[in-house]
């Protein structure tokens, strides 16, 4: 996905200089510094376009998807990865390949939940389903 979504409070971005910024009350702030320096949506957009022109990998946006944005989950297939707790002393990495259509349906249910959010990392296309009760599942787009 090469176009930016409409920014929403709760989004975060790692910018070209390596700093992490969170969007809060319509402005981007550094975590732990709510009264510190801020940048505008326009500046984050400039960072995005500089990235596309220079081929830099020093920019990532994590956007919380709303129900009307689930079409941004665009790959044909995804590899889901999560940690399953077998018992109190053991856990294992689980993997599952799913279709993009399945992931969009699953995300549609998740965004209606009060305890679950769906995030899209750009430009990688990684989808994270975050549950406050169950943990995170990361879905990496499968390359053809």
């Amino acid at each position: 996905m090469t176009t930016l979504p409409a920014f929403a409070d709760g989004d975060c971005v790692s910018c070209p200089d390596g700093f992490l910024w969170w969007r809060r009350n319509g402005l981007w702030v550094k975590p732990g510094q709510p009264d510190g320096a801020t940048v505008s949506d326009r500046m984050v957009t400039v960072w995005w376009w500089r990235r596309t022109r220079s081929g830099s990998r020093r920019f990532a946006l994590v956007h919380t998807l709303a129900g009307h944005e689930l079409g941004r989950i665009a790959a044909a297939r995804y590899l889901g990865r999560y940690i399953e707790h077998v018992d109190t002393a053991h856990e294992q990495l689980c993997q599952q390949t799913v279709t993009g259509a399945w992931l969009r349906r699953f995300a549609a249910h998740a965004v209606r939940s009060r305890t679950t959010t769906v995030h899209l990392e750009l430009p990688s296309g990684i989808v994270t389903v975050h549950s406050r009760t169950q943990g995170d599942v990361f879905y990496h787009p499968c390359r053809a």
Side-chain angles (χ1 to χ4, degrees):
M1 185 63 58
T2 57
T3 59
L4 285 173
F7 298 126
D9 284 355
D11 288 354
C12 68
V13 64
S14 70
C15 67
D17 62 8
F19 289 108
L20 180 68
W21 298 83
W22 288 90
R23 191 167 189 277
R24 213 167 94 180
N25 298 322
L27 291 173
W28 296 87
V29 299
K30 291 181 183 176
Q33 300 178 22
D35 297 323
T38 62
V39 296
S40 67
D41 288 347
R42 185 174 185 280
M43 188 73 235
V44 172
T45 302
V46 168
W47 291 337
W48 171 262
W49 290 113
R50 282 186 191 154
R51 177 209 58 86
T52 60
R53 285 198 312 269
S54 69
S56 170
R57 296 184 181 267
R58 292 192 50 109
F59 178 94
L61 170 72
V62 177
H63 175 67
T64 303
L65 290 173
H68 68 278
E69 297 176 305
L70 298 178
R72 287 183 167 273
I73 300 172
R77 292 181 314 126
Y78 289 85
L79 177 62
R81 293 183 175 138
Y82 60 95
I83 301 293
E84 180 178 58
H85 299 281
V86 178
D87 57 41
T88 57
H90 299 92
E91 52 188 37
Q92 66 186 19
L93 175 65
C94 297
Q95 298 187 124
Q96 172 187 20
T97 301
V98 300
T99 66
W102 181 91
L103 184 52
R104 285 186 296 277
R105 285 191 305 273
F106 179 63
H109 291 286
V111 298
R112 289 189 294 249
S113 168
R114 292 180 188 194
T115 61
T116 307
T117 54
V118 179
H119 306 272
L120 175 65
E121 181 183 313
L122 297 171
S124 70
I126 296 170
V127 176
T128 304
V129 179
H130 171 74
S131 166
R132 289 192 303 235
T133 59
Q134 300 296 315
D136 296 330
V137 180
F138 300 93
Y139 292 93
H140 298 254
C142 296
R143 305 292 179 221

